[in-house]
């Protein structure tokens, strides 16, 4: 790393280089870019980052990242109260919001069940989900979890835990992704899409 | 972008997405990573960035990025005063320092001459370089400029400007890069390497 340009600049590059998707080369490039704009963009970015670091927290209802106690989605009276979409992570919530297809509310688990990593239901906001079903007038819980072993284990656990409440539990459809070429799809996806085939 | 997680988080993602090498997806990933570590890493990074934004400036002698008036290289009594290596940019200075092969001092031009972009010698710290030759006991100026049209135009301009001072002006060798396979090299490089061939 640059051994001659002041300790803080070196430390900044080393810190940036540890961010996901970045490395020493891209961190150096970004830091030089910012230093050239140090009075404007860099000072603004630093202030913004400090403010988000101070104010960002989890929505008390759904676990979304927000800057108030209750996130804008949970507070929005225009969103259907009867549907809760369960996601693993805030990144998944953002992805669903970009799709603009879901108009209910969310519940962020914060991870997947894992015996190996000793992550149990209490670590995942599952008790809070069960409490919401009782408190809010929920008619459908959509499990938008990853189609991985951990995701599907978590989905089955939640479906069983919710069975006594009588709420409808659904999952995302599995099949060929839009724009997907059959030739490049794995066997599991093709088999799932064939089994779940529908009237044309 | 995530329309539901507070204006500042959105703005932070949008700002990060404009940094070189990043885009909306990588910016979202980095911001989520930081928000998960908001009390520690994110607050530290923000403070570090604010401090660098406030204190970073150009070395009054060579133009290197530093946090004092004179950079550690110019202040280091262990570095040869007789050799000045001229580079386009601070990134090039850092690259040369990582190589640990040069033990003299630097002079950062801050760009290349360009008639198109109306960048003249006064915009490039070339007058300061000529002044340094007179003030310091310089015996050799090494032009470590890019092997591009702009870089070589700048190199020729500097060599002519320095001719009256009688200082030795050298340039980096051109040839096959270490680890380079001839098959993948462009014709220009192969021709330059052949012309500059040396006794084995």
């Amino acid at each position: 790393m640059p051994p001659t340009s002041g300790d803080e600049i070196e430390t900044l590059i080393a810190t940036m280089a540890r961010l996901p998707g970045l490395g020493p080369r891209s961190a150096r490039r970004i830091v030089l870019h910012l230093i050239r704009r140090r009075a404007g963009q860099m000072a603004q970015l630093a202030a913004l980052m400090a403010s988000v670091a101070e104010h960002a927290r989890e929505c008390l209802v759904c676990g979304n990242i927000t800057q108030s106690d209750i996130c804008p989605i949970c507070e929005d009276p225009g969103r259907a109260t009867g549907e809760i979409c369960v996601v693993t992570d805030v990144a998944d919530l953002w992805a669903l919001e970009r799709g603009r297809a879901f108009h209910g509310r969310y519940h962020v688990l914060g991870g997947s069940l894992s015996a190996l990593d000793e992550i149990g239901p209490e670590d995942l906001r599952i008790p809070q989900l069960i409490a919401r079903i009782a408190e809010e007038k929920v008619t459908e819980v959509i499990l938008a979890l990853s189609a991985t072993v951990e995701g599907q284990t978590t989905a089955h656990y939640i479906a069983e835990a919710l069975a006594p409440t009588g709420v409808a539990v659904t999952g995302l459809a599995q099949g060929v992704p839009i724009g997907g070429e059959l030739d490049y799809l794995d066997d599991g996806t093709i088999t799932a899409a064939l089994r779940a085939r529908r009237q044309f």
Side-chain angles (χ1 to χ4, degrees), chain A:
Chain A
M1 229 80 24
T4 52
S5 22
D7 277 326
E8 279 193 337
I9 298 175
E10 274 175 69
T11 314
L12 179 59
I13 293 173
T15 309
M16 298 280 286
R18 286 197 300 272
L19 294 177
L22 297 185
R25 184 177 289 267
S26 45
R28 279 197 299 270
R29 195 168 154 218
I30 289 173
V31 168
L32 258 185
H33 170 96
L34 285 171
I35 286 178
R36 288 199 192 100
R37 292 152 186 81
R38 54 187 175 270
Q41 199 184 352
M42 190 176 194
Q44 275 169 29
L45 181 59
L48 200 55
M49 202 176 274
S51 177
V52 170
E54 191 185 336
H55 299 117
R57 58 201 131 144
E58 288 171 2
C59 170
L60 295 176
V61 177
C62 74
N64 186 13
I65 294 287
T66 175
Q67 293 193 293
S68 47
D69 282 342
I70 311 294
C71 79
I73 298 179
C74 286
E75 280 202 324
D76 186 350
R79 305 209 46 144
T81 48
E83 294 170 13
I84 290 184
C85 182
V86 178
V87 291
T88 308
D89 212 316
V90 176
D92 301 336
L93 187 159
W94 289 356
L96 279 155
E97 281 297 291
R98 285 198 299 278
R100 296 171 196 273
F102 179 66
H103 304 290
R105 296 176 183 185
Y106 293 93
H107 193 83
V108 181
L109 295 177
S112 298
L113 289 178
S114 168
L116 208 67
D117 299 330
E118 296 186 355
I119 299 176
E122 291 73 25
D123 305 310
L124 289 186
R125 309 187 78 253
I126 290 177
Q128 290 92 320
L129 175 64
I130 296 170
R132 284 183 74 183
I133 309 295
E135 286 163 22
E136 306 171 22
K137 286 178 182 162
V138 177
T139 53
E140 183 179 359
V141 169
I142 303 165
L143 301 175
L145 305 179
S146 294
T148 58
V149 173
E150 293 81 15
Q152 293 310 301
T153 306
T154 311
H156 279 110
Y157 178 89
I158 294 174
E160 276 183 36
L162 295 185
T165 66
V167 72
V169 179
T170 56
L172 292 186
Q174 295 192 328
V176 183
I178 306 299
E181 294 185 52
L182 286 198
D183 202 16
Y184 289 91
L185 282 178
D186 60 298
D187 299 351
T189 302
I190 292 183
T191 307
L194 192 64
R195 283 196 187 135
R197 66 189 177 279
R198 59 200 175 75
Q199 191 76 36
F200 204 79

